[in-house]
């Protein structure tokens, strides 16, 4: 059985990190809730791959732009290392985000 944890971070664009674990994974799942302000943590009954796909389809249906999907486990594998499934999706709405960034750009 795979458990998936979703962590939502709200910036000008959204970012979602998915981390999965099962008995076959290298590292245990996180045991404590993150202590960072403005993070929302949810558990998903679906695998990481299915959760990522479902969220991407929902974001696209709601007219959000998916700027990037980063598979950290694949990156680790390409470096000859192992990492439990960990994916980040960066998304946003350019009409809203651009206005916010232009208002106080650094």
């Amino acid at each position: 059985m795979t458990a998936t944890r979703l962590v939502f971070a709200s910036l000008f664009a959204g970012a979602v990190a998915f981390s999965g674990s099962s008995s076959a994974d290298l590292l245990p799942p996180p045991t404590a809730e993150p202590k960072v302000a403005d993070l929302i943590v949810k558990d998903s009954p679906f695998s990481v791959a299915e959760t990522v796909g479902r969220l991407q389809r929902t974001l696209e249906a709601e007219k959000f732009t998916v700027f990037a999907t980063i598979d950290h486990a694949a990156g680790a594998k390409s470096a000859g290392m192992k990492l439990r499934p960990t994916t980040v999706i960066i998304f946003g709405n350019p009409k809203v985000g651009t206005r916010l960034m232009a208002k106080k750009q650094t």
Side-chain angles (χ1 to χ4, degrees), residues 85-98:
T86 303
T87 302
V88 175
I89 300 174
I90 302 169
F91 64 94
N93 180 325
K95 278 188 170 183
V96 175
T98 301

Side-chain angles (χ1 to χ4, degrees), residues 1 4 7 9 12 14-15 18-19 23 26 29 31 43 48-49 58 62 67 74 78 88 90-91 95 102 104 106:
M1 178 67 179
T4 301
V7 180
F12 289 129
F18 298 92
S19 181
S23 57
L26 212 63
T31 56
D43 291 322
V48 172
T58 299
E62 295 296 324
F67 297 111
S78 74
V88 175
I90 302 169
F91 64 94
K95 278 188 170 183
K104 194 169 185 177
T106 57

Side-chain angles (χ1 to χ4, degrees), residues 36-82:
V36 180
D38 299 327
L39 285 184
I40 300 168
V41 179
K42 300 285 182 186
D43 291 322
S44 171
F46 306 106
S47 69
V48 172
E50 186 172 348
T51 301
V52 167
R54 292 168 66 99
L55 181 59
Q56 286 178 322
R57 288 187 297 277
T58 299
L59 290 168
E60 290 165 2
E62 295 296 324
K63 307 297 183 215
F64 282 89
T65 299
V66 175
F67 297 111
T69 301
I70 304 162
D71 183 343
H72 288 292
K77 185 176 179 179
S78 74
M81 301 170 75
K82 292 184 180 181

